[in-house]
């Protein structure tokens, strides 16, 4: 069965750009996380509930991005999100940012580690998380 | 004839909130401007073209907001935008931010001044701007 | 006795600017609040403690700014902060943003309302707040 | 000869944190770039001049960060910046973020590619850039 992808669309706004006329690189991570929030909400695990209930804590331990072409104000961008890897107590989310004309503008990855309330790593990912994200796991990646 | 309003919707994201658990007040202005950019694009006057062509320059000279109730992560907000006033060389945009339950969360106002390339105030608003925004002028306000 | 002023300095960074090559107006509020945080820390009332202890809550109920001249990347800006008004349960902070050459780039104002934990307005400002900010009150303003 | 390091200090502000009470991961990149801007200014190559003169264009093509411990509002952070690698037409900047108590909070890396005005990669880094950053090159890294 093919893995499912989650799509999220945004427009590059004036405040996203800088004096060089392009998307400021750091703001790509804001949009990646917006896509991740929308993804988690669709899975029935909205971050605001996880944070409020203080039970499943999934802080980022790694983030990276590669920039293939500049994005400018007014550009419409589609983010496709997939799960790249599921480990014992963490998972990796992969993002592709495509411009309107179909060209690849950037890719990004974030790794989320489940921790206990005292900040130590959890013994394992909660079943609720694992079950929810599994259908989005890319099968062509080593696990 | 009733003035037209422009509506724009956004979700409050994690990065919009701060450690007090609410929308950081300054970020409201980012969302107000996002609504303004979407509005100008719908009018056929997308800001990216105005900035690139360097002909019609409309920097903000004033911004203000009143906060009526806190907004939190995951809240869905509808911004309605109207033109509050049109003056010789400037115009004022009014924004209402309503939460999902219909309560008023905030209002904001921005004033945009048309300037020449050398930074001096223009003698008057360009006809393209005036004609485009006029249908959105609230008639109950003194002009 | 002359009121005291609090000074805070920052540089306009690339991410503060937008494709029009100027400080994005909304980011001025971020810098104003940075100055306010540094001010409150100097008063012995750091916001992180107020937020953590959850006893004195001072959300913003109003913010405004006037923009007098553009600021660009690399500009060094001095913010001077004073208390403009102290009311029963709120106070107003005034900010002046001066560029390196001494010209006034912008002014801003924020109003902070003391609330109870349930979100209702407090009966009055706590003495700790009132006593700490009083020396910074501009005496030429009506109270 | 030991390579030189560049140090830059900042405080985590309220707008840097999110509802989970920690520095929002994406904002670390803003602070990394602030350190990089201060570094380039000290080298006599301020980004605002490079962008304005449009001669040496150094867009980011990669960014990454590892988060070792959470940072909260009011934390004072020292960023030490070094050049990790110099290649034909690009260079990598490494950042270490240390909290007040000396613990390592995060590390980051950005890769900057010199491009021509038409967006194609330059044939090589300009001598002005190479000469300026060379003293900061970590010698224990493969080149």
């Amino acid at each position: 069965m093919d893995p499912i992808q989650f799509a999220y669309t945004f427009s590059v706004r004036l405040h996203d750009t800088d004096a060089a006329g392009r998307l400021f690189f750091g703001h790509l991570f804001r949009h990646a996380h917006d896509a991740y929030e929308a993804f988690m909400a669709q899975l029935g695990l909205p971050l605001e509930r996880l944070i409020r209930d203080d039970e499943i804590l999934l802080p980022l331990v790694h983030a990276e991005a590669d920039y293939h072409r500049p994005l400018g104000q007014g550009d419409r961008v589609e983010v496709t999100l997939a799960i790249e890897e599921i480990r014992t107590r963490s998972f990796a989310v992969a993002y592709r940012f495509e411009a309107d004309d179909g060209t690849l503008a950037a890719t990004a990855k974030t790794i989320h580690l489940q921790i206990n309330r005292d900040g130590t790593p959890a013994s394992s990912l909660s079943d609720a998380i694992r079950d929810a994200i599994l259908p989005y796991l890319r099968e062509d990646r080593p696990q």
Side-chain angles (χ1 to χ4, degrees), chain A:
Chain A
M1 198 185 80
D2 281 343
I4 318 171
Q5 285 196 326
F6 176 79
Y8 176 88
T9 306
F10 70 94
S11 293
V12 178
R13 300 294 184 190
L14 188 57
H15 59 77
D16 284 315
T17 62
D18 61 32
R22 300 157 163 226
L23 175 80
F24 180 74
F25 83 103
H27 295 331
L28 190 83
F29 292 101
R30 212 182 67 228
H31 293 293
H33 202 269
D34 285 359
Y36 169 69
E37 286 180 53
F39 170 67
M40 292 295 278
Q42 179 178 287
L43 296 188
L45 295 163
L47 290 198
E48 61 269 27
R49 209 186 64 209
L50 302 188
I51 290 171
R52 194 177 51 231
D53 294 354
D54 208 20
E55 282 191 10
I56 300 178
L57 301 168
L58 296 165
L60 273 110
V61 290
H62 179 80
E64 63 178 79
D66 289 284
Y67 304 86
H68 298 284
R69 46 149 284 192
L71 288 167
Q73 194 205 345
D75 283 355
R76 198 91 183 129
V77 181
E78 189 178 67
V79 188
T80 50
L81 182 160
I83 300 298
E84 187 174 294
E85 193 178 0
I86 301 178
R87 292 196 172 192
T88 306
R89 65 201 75 192
S90 69
F91 58 93
V93 184
Y95 311 82
R96 283 175 59 88
F97 294 81
E98 278 183 26
D100 248 357
D101 60 5
T103 59
L104 182 67
T107 56
K109 182 164 105 171
T110 54
I111 298 180
H112 304 255
L113 172 70
Q114 189 163 345
I115 59 169
N116 301 311
R117 286 189 197 179
D118 65 359
T120 55
S123 55
S124 66
L125 278 179
S126 79
D127 288 344
I129 298 291
R130 186 180 301 271
D131 293 350
I133 64 178
L134 194 60
Y136 296 85
L137 181 65
R138 284 190 199 164
E139 298 182 348
D140 57 324
R141 293 278 174 145
Q143 302 166 40

